[in-house]
Amino acid sequence: MTKIHNSILVNIVTVRNGKDKTVAFTYNKRTEKEKPMALDVLMQAQSSILPDLAFRYGCRARNCGVCTIDINDRPRVSCRARVRDGDKLSAIATLPVLSDLVVRR
């Protein structure tokens, strides 16, 4: 597979009816030097190939923590966590998953 220069490949783990499925998503950067936040990746995935992707976000200013997800199996605030090529985005592993990246709090 040929890699587009202004893109990164991210694996998004979706959960539907209790079953995990990993979706490979190619994020198209706005500029060559962009270092996207995980929330930017999720929003682009939702607007392009996964219209029913479920995730939460609130303030976008690292204040509320509503957007917390696991990035490479470690909890991170998605509106402030940078994503690199090959990263895995998934629901917080320590809480019950309702759908995709949404957990019961």
Side-chain angles (χ1 to χ4, degrees):
M1 179 162 90
T2 304
K3 184 171 173 3
I4 301 170
H5 189 62
N6 280 344
S7 67
I8 59 172
L9 182 64
V10 177
N11 294 305
I12 301 171
V13 179
T14 61
V15 179
R16 309 280 165 88
N17 300 319
K19 296 190 175 156
D20 294 4
K21 178 182 175 188
T22 301
V23 177
F25 174 68
T26 302
Y27 175 81
N28 296 311
K29 296 189 207 178
R30 293 174 284 225
T31 66
E32 187 175 334
K33 294 185 180 190
E34 178 189 13
K35 295 178 182 175
M37 303 295 174
L39 185 58
D40 296 327
V41 173
L42 293 174
M43 293 177 88
Q44 189 179 99
Q46 188 182 54
S47 69
S48 59
I49 67 163
L50 296 168
D52 56 349
L53 179 65
F55 58 93
R56 290 183 176 146
Y57 67 96
C59 68
R60 291 192 65 120
R62 199 174 46 196
N63 293 327
C64 68
V66 170
C67 65
T68 302
I69 61 170
D70 279 355
I71 300 175
N72 298 326
D73 301 320
R74 298 184 69 190
R76 298 283 181 250
V77 178
S78 70
C79 67
R80 290 293 170 205
R82 300 219 182 262
V83 179
R84 294 180 297 210
D85 200 43
D87 281 354
K88 178 179 86 169
L89 310 182
S90 59
I92 302 171
T94 57
L95 296 172
V97 177
L98 298 174
S99 178
D100 297 336
L101 290 101
V102 178
V103 295
R104 178 173 288 126
R105 297 179 178 258

XYZ file of all heavy atoms in Angstrom:
821
model
N 0.839 -1.181 0.000
C 0.000 0.000 0.000
C 0.883 1.244 0.000
O 1.829 1.350 0.770
C -0.896 -0.021 1.244
C -1.778 1.188 1.327
S -3.175 0.976 2.445
C -2.486 1.536 3.964
N 0.585 2.194 -0.860
C 1.333 3.431 -0.963
C 0.837 4.424 0.080
O -0.354 4.649 0.212
C 1.169 4.049 -2.367
O 1.559 3.087 -3.328
C 2.018 5.284 -2.504
N 1.773 5.020 0.810
C 1.414 5.986 1.835
C 1.394 7.381 1.246
O 2.329 7.786 0.566
C 2.407 5.920 2.987
C 2.042 6.826 4.131
C 2.932 6.528 5.291
C 2.809 7.463 6.447
N 1.861 8.491 6.439
N 0.313 8.106 1.488
C 0.210 9.487 1.049
C 1.072 10.329 1.982
O 1.021 10.163 3.199
C -1.258 9.962 1.060
C -2.082 9.080 0.132
C -1.369 11.420 0.668
C -3.579 9.296 0.245
N 1.863 11.259 1.439
C 2.822 12.035 2.209
C 2.162 12.856 3.312
O 2.715 12.996 4.388
C 3.631 12.932 1.267
C 4.772 13.611 1.932
N 5.821 12.910 2.496
C 5.027 14.918 2.152
C 6.675 13.773 3.016
N 6.228 14.984 2.821
N 1.006 13.424 3.052
C 0.330 14.268 4.037
C -0.750 13.498 4.781
O -1.847 13.998 4.998
C -0.285 15.503 3.367
C 0.759 16.565 3.119
O 1.837 16.535 3.679
N 0.428 17.523 2.286
N -0.451 12.284 5.195
C -1.449 11.495 5.907
C -0.778 10.610 6.949
O 0.430 10.390 6.905
C -2.239 10.632 4.929
O -1.407 9.647 4.371
N -1.585 10.134 7.894
C -1.114 9.166 8.870
C -2.169 8.071 8.981
O -3.355 8.316 8.818
C -0.824 9.787 10.252
C -2.070 10.441 10.839
C 0.314 10.771 10.189
C -1.889 10.903 12.264
N -1.713 6.870 9.255
C -2.612 5.732 9.410
C -2.836 5.493 10.896
O -1.884 5.357 11.664
C -2.022 4.482 8.762
C -2.880 3.232 8.819
C -4.170 3.440 8.029
C -2.121 2.051 8.273
N -4.111 5.466 11.304
C -4.484 5.266 12.700
C -5.479 4.121 12.763
O -6.353 3.999 11.905
C -5.116 6.556 13.275
C -5.575 6.352 14.692
C -4.136 7.710 13.198
N -5.370 3.278 13.770
C -6.315 2.186 13.983
C -7.330 2.607 15.037
O -6.957 2.940 16.160
C -5.582 0.924 14.430
C -4.680 0.400 13.343
O -5.120 0.164 12.231
N -3.409 0.244 13.649
N -8.605 2.597 14.664
C -9.681 2.971 15.569
C -10.446 1.697 15.928
O -10.945 1.001 15.043
C -10.628 4.000 14.920
C -9.859 5.256 14.524
C -11.784 4.336 15.861
C -10.661 6.249 13.691
N -10.514 1.402 17.219
C -11.218 0.207 17.683
C -12.670 0.592 17.961
O -12.946 1.398 18.841
C -10.569 -0.383 18.947
C -11.340 -1.615 19.419
C -9.111 -0.726 18.686
N -13.585 0.026 17.181
C -15.008 0.264 17.391
C -15.594 -0.920 18.154
O -15.089 -2.033 18.062
C -15.760 0.442 16.060
O -15.632 -0.763 15.294
C -15.207 1.610 15.260
N -16.655 -0.654 18.903
C -17.328 -1.707 19.658
C -18.813 -1.633 19.336
O -19.461 -0.625 19.598
C -17.110 -1.558 21.182
C -17.855 -2.654 21.934
C -15.630 -1.571 21.523
N -19.322 -2.691 18.726
C -20.739 -2.779 18.377
C -21.268 -4.092 18.911
O -20.694 -5.141 18.637
C -20.940 -2.716 16.862
C -20.254 -1.560 16.177
C -21.035 -0.263 16.313
N -20.253 0.905 15.967
C -20.138 1.418 14.752
N -20.738 0.852 13.748
N -19.424 2.505 14.568
N -22.336 -4.030 19.674
C -22.952 -5.233 20.256
C -21.936 -6.084 21.016
O -21.940 -7.307 20.932
C -23.641 -6.066 19.176
C -24.734 -5.283 18.485
O -25.483 -4.559 19.135
N -24.820 -5.418 17.179
N -21.029 -5.411 21.723
C -20.047 -6.116 22.535
C -18.875 -6.699 21.782
O -18.019 -7.347 22.380
N -18.789 -6.488 20.476
C -17.699 -7.045 19.675
C -16.776 -5.938 19.166
O -17.230 -4.957 18.597
C -18.264 -7.833 18.498
C -19.060 -9.024 18.959
C -19.413 -9.921 17.814
C -20.075 -11.071 18.409
N -20.841 -11.933 18.141
N -15.475 -6.147 19.375
C -14.466 -5.189 18.911
C -14.170 -5.405 17.437
O -14.120 -6.542 16.970
C -13.158 -5.378 19.672
C -13.273 -5.047 21.143
O -14.385 -4.747 21.605
O -12.233 -5.101 21.827
N -13.935 -4.290 16.748
C -13.495 -4.347 15.355
C -12.516 -3.190 15.166
O -12.816 -2.054 15.519
C -14.684 -4.200 14.409
C -14.287 -4.197 12.951
C -15.495 -3.997 12.060
C -15.082 -3.867 10.618
N -16.207 -3.479 9.767
N -11.363 -3.485 14.615
C -10.368 -2.441 14.362
C -10.505 -1.946 12.934
O -10.493 -2.732 11.986
C -8.942 -2.971 14.605
O -8.849 -3.430 15.953
C -7.910 -1.892 14.367
N -10.642 -0.628 12.801
C -10.784 0.008 11.496
C -9.528 0.824 11.223
O -9.166 1.696 12.016
C -12.027 0.935 11.453
C -12.126 1.646 10.128
C -13.293 0.153 11.766
N -8.854 0.530 10.131
C -7.683 1.313 9.730
C -8.183 2.570 9.045
O -8.932 2.506 8.071
C -6.802 0.507 8.789
N -7.784 3.724 9.571
C -8.238 5.007 9.028
C -7.036 5.847 8.637
O -6.092 5.988 9.406
C -9.090 5.761 10.051
C -9.468 7.147 9.615
C -10.337 7.335 8.551
C -8.944 8.263 10.242
C -10.673 8.610 8.124
C -9.280 9.535 9.831
C -10.142 9.712 8.769
N -7.083 6.404 7.441
C -6.029 7.301 6.977
C -6.476 8.732 7.206
O -7.436 9.200 6.597
C -5.732 7.077 5.481
O -5.356 5.714 5.289
C -4.609 7.992 5.007
N -5.794 9.406 8.122
C -6.092 10.811 8.434
C -5.342 11.686 7.452
O -4.127 11.562 7.292
C -5.665 11.153 9.865
C -5.842 12.611 10.213
C -7.084 13.102 10.594
C -4.774 13.486 10.155
C -7.258 14.432 10.905
C -4.934 14.829 10.469
C -6.175 15.296 10.847
O -6.355 16.628 11.147
N -6.054 12.581 6.782
C -5.433 13.514 5.838
C -5.103 14.808 6.563
O -5.989 15.529 7.011
C -6.371 13.785 4.664
C -6.615 12.540 3.863
O -5.679 11.846 3.493
N -7.866 12.233 3.604
N -3.804 15.072 6.675
C -3.356 16.283 7.372
C -3.745 17.538 6.597
O -3.770 17.525 5.371
C -1.842 16.264 7.537
C -1.315 15.167 8.402
C 0.156 15.450 8.612
C 0.989 14.258 8.865
N 2.395 14.589 9.019
N -3.998 18.613 7.331
C -4.316 19.905 6.697
C -3.059 20.560 6.147
O -3.103 21.241 5.129
C -5.011 20.825 7.699
C -6.405 20.303 8.082
C -7.001 21.123 9.167
N -6.346 20.767 10.429
C -6.986 20.547 11.557
N -8.280 20.666 11.612
N -6.335 20.221 12.643
N -1.944 20.359 6.817
C -0.648 20.839 6.340
C 0.362 19.718 6.539
O 0.136 18.793 7.338
C -0.164 22.085 7.119
O 0.099 21.712 8.472
C -1.183 23.208 7.061
N 1.475 19.794 5.861
C 2.482 18.737 5.958
C 3.041 18.600 7.369
O 3.343 17.510 7.829
C 3.622 19.024 4.979
C 4.620 17.902 4.888
C 5.670 18.146 3.827
O 5.419 18.870 2.863
O 6.771 17.578 3.985
N 3.153 19.709 8.094
C 3.758 19.687 9.432
C 2.736 19.515 10.554
O 3.117 19.527 11.724
C 4.554 20.964 9.655
C 5.750 21.053 8.734
C 6.594 22.245 9.019
C 7.768 22.254 8.067
N 8.754 23.241 8.413
N 1.458 19.349 10.224
C 0.439 19.196 11.259
C 0.702 17.958 12.111
O 1.059 16.902 11.600
C -0.956 19.072 10.635
C -2.037 18.858 11.673
C -3.388 18.516 11.089
O -3.474 18.199 9.889
O -4.362 18.556 11.842
N 0.539 18.109 13.413
C 0.597 17.000 14.361
C -0.789 16.920 14.987
O -1.068 17.591 15.976
C 1.667 17.252 15.413
C 3.063 17.297 14.828
C 4.075 17.605 15.892
C 5.458 17.692 15.277
N 6.454 18.095 16.257
N -1.688 16.125 14.401
C -3.092 16.160 14.800
C -3.356 15.602 16.197
O -2.653 14.714 16.678
C -3.784 15.293 13.750
C -2.727 14.346 13.312
C -1.446 15.124 13.367
N -4.375 16.159 16.819
C -4.870 15.643 18.083
C -5.764 14.432 17.776
O -6.346 14.333 16.694
C -5.691 16.701 18.819
C -4.966 17.975 19.092
S -3.602 17.711 20.225
C -2.874 19.319 20.203
N -5.910 13.545 18.737
C -6.756 12.361 18.553
C -8.192 12.766 18.227
O -8.847 12.129 17.404
C -6.714 11.493 19.801
N -8.684 13.828 18.844
C -10.052 14.271 18.576
C -10.221 14.716 17.125
O -11.248 14.440 16.507
C -10.454 15.395 19.538
C -11.891 15.871 19.450
C -12.873 14.718 19.687
C -12.141 16.987 20.449
N -9.210 15.354 16.546
C -9.259 15.741 15.128
C -9.382 14.501 14.241
O -10.141 14.490 13.275
C -8.000 16.526 14.723
C -7.879 17.850 15.449
O -8.913 18.464 15.739
O -6.735 18.267 15.720
N -8.640 13.461 14.589
C -8.684 12.206 13.817
C -10.082 11.594 13.900
O -10.654 11.186 12.888
C -7.608 11.220 14.314
C -7.762 9.861 13.650
C -6.216 11.780 14.062
N -10.637 11.537 15.109
C -11.970 10.952 15.283
C -13.034 11.743 14.526
O -13.925 11.162 13.895
C -12.326 10.884 16.767
C -11.488 9.925 17.604
C -11.835 10.066 19.081
C -11.655 8.495 17.138
N -12.932 13.067 14.560
C -13.917 13.898 13.864
C -13.824 13.722 12.353
O -14.844 13.648 11.664
C -13.767 15.362 14.276
C -14.145 15.572 15.739
S -13.918 17.244 16.299
C -15.505 17.913 15.865
N -12.588 13.616 11.815
C -12.450 13.398 10.380
C -12.944 12.005 9.989
O -13.587 11.842 8.952
C -10.994 13.579 9.944
C -10.835 13.574 8.434
C -9.394 13.772 8.016
O -8.715 12.800 7.700
N -8.938 15.020 8.012
N -12.682 11.009 10.820
C -13.165 9.648 10.540
C -14.690 9.631 10.518
O -15.302 9.016 9.642
C -12.633 8.673 11.578
N -15.300 10.327 11.464
C -16.763 10.375 11.535
C -17.357 11.101 10.328
O -18.371 10.685 9.784
C -17.202 11.069 12.825
C -18.692 11.003 13.067
C -19.080 11.732 14.320
O -18.744 12.916 14.467
N -19.738 11.046 15.236
N -16.711 12.145 9.879
C -17.259 12.910 8.752
C -16.974 12.271 7.398
O -17.574 12.643 6.400
C -16.721 14.339 8.764
O -15.350 14.357 8.462
N -16.059 11.281 7.361
C -15.722 10.695 6.066
C -16.167 9.238 5.917
O -17.009 8.938 5.077
C -14.226 10.836 5.784
O -13.474 10.191 6.785
N -15.616 8.323 6.726
C -15.907 6.901 6.474
C -16.713 6.206 7.570
O -17.220 5.119 7.353
C -14.608 6.096 6.225
C -13.753 6.035 7.481
C -13.835 6.632 5.051
C -12.708 4.949 7.441
N -16.805 6.802 8.756
C -17.515 6.173 9.873
C -18.584 7.118 10.425
O -18.441 7.627 11.546
C -16.529 5.800 10.995
C -15.473 4.766 10.678
C -14.414 4.712 11.773
C -16.117 3.408 10.502
N -19.652 7.371 9.681
C -20.641 8.359 10.124
C -21.327 8.012 11.439
O -21.816 8.902 12.127
C -21.648 8.410 8.979
C -21.466 7.136 8.237
C -20.028 6.740 8.423
N -21.316 6.749 11.833
C -21.959 6.349 13.086
C -20.953 6.103 14.216
O -21.284 5.515 15.235
C -22.831 5.113 12.872
C -22.053 3.941 12.291
O -20.906 4.137 11.858
O -22.605 2.824 12.272
N -19.714 6.600 14.052
C -18.698 6.463 15.086
C -19.124 7.250 16.324
O -19.428 8.434 16.247
C -17.342 6.977 14.580
C -16.175 6.911 15.565
C -15.851 5.458 15.902
C -14.965 7.616 14.995
N -19.144 6.573 17.477
C -19.572 7.212 18.724
C -18.363 7.550 19.595
O -17.531 6.688 19.883
C -20.519 6.284 19.472
N -18.259 8.815 19.997
C -17.237 9.282 20.932
C -17.766 10.553 21.586
O -18.727 11.148 21.115
C -15.892 9.527 20.242
C -15.933 10.513 19.111
C -15.654 11.852 19.326
C -16.260 10.105 17.824
C -15.690 12.768 18.282
C -16.295 11.003 16.770
C -16.009 12.336 17.007
N -17.155 10.944 22.679
C -17.606 12.134 23.408
C -16.526 13.200 23.399
O -15.338 12.908 23.421
C -17.917 11.782 24.861
C -19.133 10.945 25.043
C -19.374 10.740 26.531
N -20.616 9.997 26.713
C -20.821 9.133 27.671
N -19.877 8.888 28.559
N -21.970 8.512 27.769
N -16.983 14.447 23.409
C -16.068 15.557 23.664
C -16.881 16.726 24.195
O -18.087 16.789 24.027
C -15.243 15.940 22.430
C -16.009 16.539 21.284
C -16.093 17.922 21.138
C -16.620 15.739 20.321
C -16.774 18.478 20.062
C -17.297 16.282 19.263
C -17.371 17.656 19.138
O -18.047 18.195 18.080
N -16.198 17.637 24.871
C -16.880 18.760 25.496
C -16.172 20.070 25.211
O -16.354 20.696 24.184
N -15.277 20.462 26.091
C -14.701 21.809 26.072
C -13.618 22.024 25.023
O -13.384 23.158 24.620
C -14.117 22.114 27.445
S -12.665 21.113 27.858
N -12.922 20.999 24.585
C -11.776 21.074 23.669
C -10.617 21.890 24.241
O -9.768 22.384 23.515
C -12.178 21.630 22.304
C -13.070 20.676 21.529
C -13.194 21.140 20.108
N -11.899 21.072 19.465
C -11.618 20.343 18.408
N -12.554 19.609 17.865
N -10.426 20.344 17.883
N -10.597 22.074 25.553
C -9.549 22.880 26.180
C -8.848 22.162 27.328
O -8.268 22.797 28.191
C -10.150 24.186 26.680
N -8.937 20.851 27.376
C -8.289 20.018 28.384
C -8.789 20.312 29.797
O -8.095 20.127 30.768
C -6.772 20.193 28.305
C -6.008 19.093 28.961
C -4.536 19.181 28.776
N -4.007 20.503 29.016
C -2.814 20.910 28.646
N -2.033 20.093 28.008
N -2.397 22.105 28.896
N -10.023 20.781 29.905
C -10.564 21.102 31.216
C -11.514 20.046 31.752
O -11.523 19.768 32.938
C -11.306 22.445 31.175
C -10.379 23.600 30.938
O -9.248 23.587 31.372
N -10.850 24.608 30.233
N -12.332 19.462 30.889
C -13.428 18.627 31.389
C -13.114 17.141 31.438
O -13.668 16.420 32.250
C -14.690 18.873 30.573
S -14.615 18.286 28.868
N -12.272 16.620 30.561
C -11.925 15.204 30.545
C -12.956 14.305 29.899
O -12.785 13.084 29.873
N -14.023 14.868 29.367
C -15.090 14.077 28.745
C -14.563 13.266 27.565
O -15.018 12.156 27.314
C -16.253 14.992 28.302
C -17.251 14.253 27.438
C -16.935 15.580 29.516
N -13.572 13.767 26.863
C -13.080 13.132 25.643
C -11.983 12.091 25.888
O -11.373 11.607 24.943
C -12.577 14.195 24.675
S -11.139 15.110 25.264
N -11.761 11.703 27.122
C -10.690 10.754 27.435
C -10.915 9.401 26.763
O -11.998 8.830 26.840
C -10.559 10.566 28.960
O -10.311 11.837 29.561
C -9.427 9.610 29.297
N -9.891 8.937 26.074
C -9.887 7.624 25.414
C -8.525 6.980 25.680
O -7.634 7.621 26.238
C -10.114 7.744 23.884
C -8.999 8.563 23.228
C -11.488 8.318 23.578
C -9.004 8.537 21.709
N -8.376 5.729 25.293
C -7.064 5.091 25.356
C -6.358 5.283 24.019
O -6.946 5.053 22.960
C -7.189 3.590 25.631
C -7.412 3.266 27.100
O -7.372 4.194 27.933
O -7.621 2.083 27.396
N -5.118 5.732 24.084
C -4.268 5.814 22.900
C -3.104 4.872 23.160
O -2.364 5.057 24.137
C -3.778 7.253 22.636
C -4.978 8.171 22.424
C -2.825 7.283 21.439
C -4.632 9.635 22.264
N -3.023 3.835 22.349
C -2.018 2.777 22.554
C -2.133 2.207 23.970
O -1.129 2.030 24.662
C -0.611 3.287 22.260
C -0.455 3.714 20.827
O -1.053 3.133 19.928
N 0.326 4.753 20.595
N -3.384 1.970 24.397
C -3.705 1.338 25.680
C -3.346 2.172 26.907
O -3.235 1.630 28.007
C -3.062 -0.057 25.779
C -3.525 -0.973 24.668
O -4.732 -0.924 24.333
O -2.695 -1.719 24.117
N -3.221 3.478 26.738
C -2.974 4.381 27.863
C -3.990 5.511 27.809
O -4.200 6.094 26.741
C -1.557 4.948 27.800
C -0.515 3.819 27.906
C 0.869 4.332 27.933
N 1.072 5.019 29.204
C 2.127 5.754 29.463
N 3.066 5.902 28.582
N 2.254 6.356 30.630
N -4.626 5.839 28.936
C -5.647 6.891 28.916
C -5.054 8.270 28.603
O -4.030 8.651 29.166
C -6.250 6.850 30.326
C -5.311 6.066 31.158
C -4.455 5.247 30.253
N -5.722 8.964 27.677
C -5.291 10.302 27.262
C -6.521 11.163 26.982
O -7.552 10.661 26.555
C -4.457 10.245 25.976
C -3.187 9.461 26.091
C -2.132 10.286 26.833
N -0.886 9.560 26.929
C -0.401 9.072 28.056
N -1.056 9.199 29.179
N 0.743 8.436 28.077
N -6.369 12.458 27.186
C -7.420 13.408 26.842
C -7.293 13.666 25.340
O -6.293 14.228 24.888
C -7.280 14.708 27.665
C -8.339 15.719 27.275
C -7.351 14.406 29.158
N -8.276 13.242 24.558
C -8.125 13.239 23.095
C -8.031 14.632 22.472
O -7.479 14.768 21.395
C -9.252 12.448 22.441
O -10.480 13.113 22.553
N -8.528 15.658 23.147
C -8.446 17.002 22.561
C -7.048 17.602 22.705
O -6.762 18.635 22.101
C -9.494 17.931 23.172
S -9.239 18.317 24.911
N -6.173 16.941 23.467
C -4.813 17.450 23.653
C -3.723 16.427 23.368
O -2.545 16.751 23.420
C -4.639 17.987 25.071
C -5.407 19.241 25.308
C -4.825 20.355 24.471
N -5.705 21.506 24.523
C -5.775 22.435 23.603
N -5.017 22.363 22.539
N -6.597 23.433 23.705
N -4.097 15.205 23.073
C -3.102 14.150 22.822
C -2.795 14.063 21.336
O -3.685 13.851 20.521
C -3.623 12.811 23.329
N -1.555 14.229 20.993
C -1.137 14.140 19.591
C -1.100 12.687 19.150
O -0.783 11.785 19.930
C 0.227 14.768 19.409
C 0.218 16.237 19.818
C 1.032 17.063 18.906
N 1.044 18.443 19.352
C 0.256 19.374 18.866
N -0.610 19.085 17.923
N 0.325 20.613 19.301
N -1.418 12.463 17.884
C -1.468 11.120 17.320
C -0.373 10.981 16.275
O -0.110 11.910 15.516
C -2.854 10.870 16.681
C -2.924 9.501 16.059
C -3.942 11.022 17.715
N 0.253 9.803 16.274
C 1.291 9.520 15.290
C 0.873 8.338 14.432
O -0.060 7.608 14.757
C 2.610 9.217 15.982
C 3.187 10.413 16.721
C 4.455 10.042 17.373
N 4.163 9.014 18.370
C 4.835 8.833 19.479
N 5.848 9.582 19.755
N 4.499 7.878 20.318
N 1.589 8.153 13.356
C 1.332 7.055 12.433
C 1.377 5.724 13.185
O 2.322 5.449 13.930
C 2.393 7.085 11.319
C 1.962 6.339 10.089
O 0.798 6.489 9.679
O 2.788 5.605 9.534
N 0.345 4.899 13.015
C 0.297 3.582 13.624
C -0.351 3.524 14.991
O -0.488 2.439 15.560
N -0.755 4.664 15.560
C -1.382 4.664 16.881
C -2.734 3.963 16.858
O -3.409 3.906 15.835
C -1.578 6.096 17.398
C -0.299 6.699 17.961
O 0.713 5.988 18.059
O -0.324 7.894 18.297
N -3.119 3.430 18.043
C -4.412 2.762 18.202
C -5.283 3.584 19.143
O -4.867 3.907 20.259
C -4.216 1.360 18.783
C -5.515 0.612 19.023
C -5.270 -0.767 19.581
C -5.157 -0.687 21.085
N -5.178 -1.990 21.751
N -6.488 3.939 18.697
C -7.447 4.690 19.500
C -8.562 3.741 19.910
O -9.154 3.071 19.059
C -8.031 5.855 18.698
C -7.046 6.788 17.987
C -7.793 7.900 17.278
C -6.043 7.352 18.956
N -8.853 3.688 21.217
C -9.893 2.781 21.711
C -10.548 3.368 22.950
O -10.072 4.358 23.520
C -9.287 1.414 22.022
O -8.263 1.524 22.979
N -11.634 2.739 23.376
C -12.335 3.159 24.583
C -11.463 2.890 25.806
O -10.595 2.013 25.793
C -13.652 2.412 24.699
N -11.722 3.617 26.873
C -10.989 3.416 28.119
C -11.211 1.976 28.595
O -12.350 1.550 28.784
C -11.460 4.413 29.199
C -11.282 5.850 28.721
C -10.703 4.185 30.502
C -11.917 6.872 29.636
N -10.150 1.247 28.781
C -10.235 -0.184 29.085
C -10.791 -0.477 30.476
O -11.309 -1.561 30.712
C -8.858 -0.828 28.939
N -10.707 0.466 31.393
C -11.118 0.206 32.774
C -12.596 0.474 33.035
O -13.064 0.244 34.149
C -10.275 1.052 33.747
O -10.426 2.435 33.399
C -8.814 0.647 33.684
N -13.324 0.952 32.031
C -14.751 1.241 32.189
C -15.569 0.456 31.177
O -15.079 0.126 30.100
C -15.010 2.754 32.002
C -14.356 3.670 33.043
C -14.526 5.136 32.649
C -14.928 3.426 34.423
N -16.846 0.167 31.498
C -17.681 -0.578 30.547
C -17.991 0.249 29.300
O -18.359 1.417 29.399
C -18.958 -0.884 31.335
C -18.874 -0.135 32.606
C -17.514 0.418 32.763
N -17.834 -0.379 28.141
C -18.050 0.307 26.862
C -19.528 0.251 26.500
O -20.140 -0.814 26.517
C -17.207 -0.345 25.745
C -17.480 0.324 24.405
C -15.736 -0.279 26.087
N -20.087 1.413 26.158
C -21.465 1.479 25.682
C -21.518 1.288 24.177
O -22.316 0.514 23.665
C -22.109 2.810 26.081
C -22.222 3.073 27.584
C -22.729 4.474 27.856
C -23.117 2.038 28.231
N -20.671 2.026 23.459
C -20.584 1.925 22.004
C -19.304 2.618 21.541
O -19.018 3.737 21.976
C -21.795 2.592 21.356
O -21.707 2.537 19.953
N -18.557 1.970 20.671
C -17.315 2.509 20.116
C -16.383 3.032 21.207
O -15.839 2.265 21.950
C -17.609 3.562 19.054
C -18.343 3.004 17.847
O -18.229 1.795 17.601
O -19.056 3.762 17.176
N -16.198 4.349 21.295
C -15.283 4.929 22.288
C -16.029 5.566 23.449
O -15.441 6.281 24.251
C -14.372 5.943 21.602
C -13.355 5.301 20.671
C -13.812 5.419 19.226
C -11.996 5.867 20.836
N -17.312 5.318 23.569
C -18.138 5.864 24.657
C -18.217 4.831 25.775
O -18.567 3.672 25.531
C -19.557 6.222 24.168
C -20.409 6.732 25.315
C -19.483 7.254 23.049
N -17.892 5.265 26.993
C -17.935 4.377 28.146
C -18.935 4.883 29.180
O -19.282 6.056 29.199
C -16.535 4.246 28.804
C -15.547 3.571 27.874
C -16.005 5.601 29.263
N -19.382 3.960 30.044
C -20.268 4.345 31.141
C -19.386 4.918 32.239
O -18.431 4.304 32.676
C -21.037 3.135 31.666
C -21.946 3.505 32.858
C -22.833 2.359 33.290
N -23.861 2.180 32.259
C -24.114 1.036 31.652
N -23.424 -0.037 31.942
N -25.063 0.953 30.739
N -19.727 6.114 32.686
C -18.949 6.782 33.749
C -19.657 6.708 35.061
O -20.814 6.705 35.161
C -18.718 8.240 33.360
C -17.878 8.328 32.087
C -17.656 9.764 31.675
N -16.831 9.801 30.508
C -15.546 10.089 30.497
N -14.929 10.400 31.587
N -14.860 10.077 29.388
